[in-house]
Each structure stands twice: as C-alpha cells, then as structure tokens.
Amino acid sequence: MNCRKKIVAFILLVVALPLVGSSVSACTEVYSSETNILSTHILTAYYSDLEGKGLENDIFTSIYISFDSPYYYNHLYCYVELTLPSGYYYSYLISIEFYGVYETTLPIYMYNHATESGNYILYVASFFACSNHYLAESIVIFDPPGGTDGADPPRIEVG
C-alpha cells in the first residue's frame, strides 16, 4: 500500500471512529440478568415525537421477555422505571397474562417523559406473579437531547 492510500485510510478511520462511538453511547445497555427460567432484555430505547405535536419529548422502548414454564397459563409482572437526569423518576407495574405463549415483545410508549437534558436510565425487571424466586432485569442508559418545559402530563401506553 503506498503512502497516499495509508493516509486516506487513516483519515477515514479517524473520522469514522467518533461516529461509531457516538451512536453506541446514545443507547448503552449497562446490565442485563437472566435465569435459566426467565429472561428480560431492553431491545431499544429512544426519544421521538410519538404524538406528532412537533416536540420530541416522548420515549419509545421495546422490551423482550421470555420464560420457561410447564404451565399453559402464566402471569408475570413487568416493572418499568425511568429515572430522569434530575433524579426524579416514573415507575410503572405492568401485569401480563400468557396463554400458551412463552415469550413476547412489549412496545411501550412513554408520552411527555423526556423533559430534561442529560442521561436517562431505563430499568426493567420482570417476575412471576405467584413466585418471587425468579427475577430478570435489564438497564439501559440513553440521552435524549434538550428538554421541553410546559409539556402535557406524562402518560404511558403498552402496545
């Protein structure tokens, strides 16, 4: 490889590395636990304008839950907590009933939650309703830009 090609390759590498690094740090899975019975993973978490009001103050997350059970009917809870940069947090407990299905992906829409600038922490834990022996957790840190003062009250919708 001649000297000119090496310089061009080096420049491309130097320019590309910060771009790759910034997209990875935009949504970073910090921790995820699972047992051989129960598994929970945050697949994605990002801000958007989900209501179409022109304000990107909504958060979308997708949570994958799978489990192994000998029963046709299973009842699980999914605890979702969103911690804002200021330390304030929103927490929700979602009740899920399964009939013959042992995995699901929950799309969760958090309207008017991204109101501050800085790192947000999304924590999810799932557990069986009838037993506290199994717990699976996942944590993601992401950074929506800016903030929106005077937004409508926060609300959540599970799709």
Side-chain angles (χ1 to χ4, degrees):
M1 193 186 238
N2 66 22
C3 186
R4 183 176 177 171
K5 287 183 182 178
K6 287 181 184 179
I7 292 172
V8 170
F10 176 76
I11 291 172
L12 289 175
L13 183 63
V14 169
V15 170
L17 278 179
L19 296 175
V20 172
S22 65
S23 67
V24 171
S25 65
C27 181
T28 306
E29 183 176 45
V30 176
Y31 173 76
S32 186
S33 73
E34 61 183 77
T35 66
N36 58 345
I37 302 293
L38 182 61
S39 174
T40 299
H41 295 283
I42 299 170
L43 300 177
T44 188
Y46 61 87
Y47 69 94
S48 183
D49 179 16
L50 300 174
E51 300 167 304
K53 292 183 176 181
L55 297 173
E56 292 186 331
N57 64 350
D58 306 319
I59 294 172
F60 174 79
T61 185
S62 181
I63 301 166
Y64 175 75
I65 300 172
S66 67
F67 58 93
D68 190 17
S69 172
Y71 306 109
Y72 179 77
Y73 168 79
N74 291 279
H75 185 194
L76 277 74
Y77 287 114
C78 182
Y79 175 78
V80 178
E81 182 178 289
L82 178 70
T83 303
L84 281 61
S86 64
Y88 289 107
Y89 67 93
Y90 299 99
S91 61
Y92 303 97
L93 185 63
I94 302 166
S95 176
I96 312 164
E97 294 181 348
F98 294 90
Y99 295 92
V101 177
Y102 302 101
E103 66 181 357
T104 190
T105 300
L106 294 176
I108 299 176
Y109 306 87
M110 297 178 171
Y111 300 106
N112 307 315
H113 283 70
T115 56
E116 303 173 3
S117 60
N119 288 334
Y120 283 63
I121 302 170
L122 181 64
Y123 169 78
V124 175
S126 60
F127 52 94
F128 289 97
C130 62
S131 171
N132 59 359
H133 297 290
Y134 302 104
L135 175 72
E137 305 168 292
S138 187
I139 297 173
V140 166
I141 297 175
F142 63 103
D143 184 9
T148 56
D149 294 332
D152 293 334
R155 62 188 174 91
I156 187 171
E157 182 179 307
V158 179

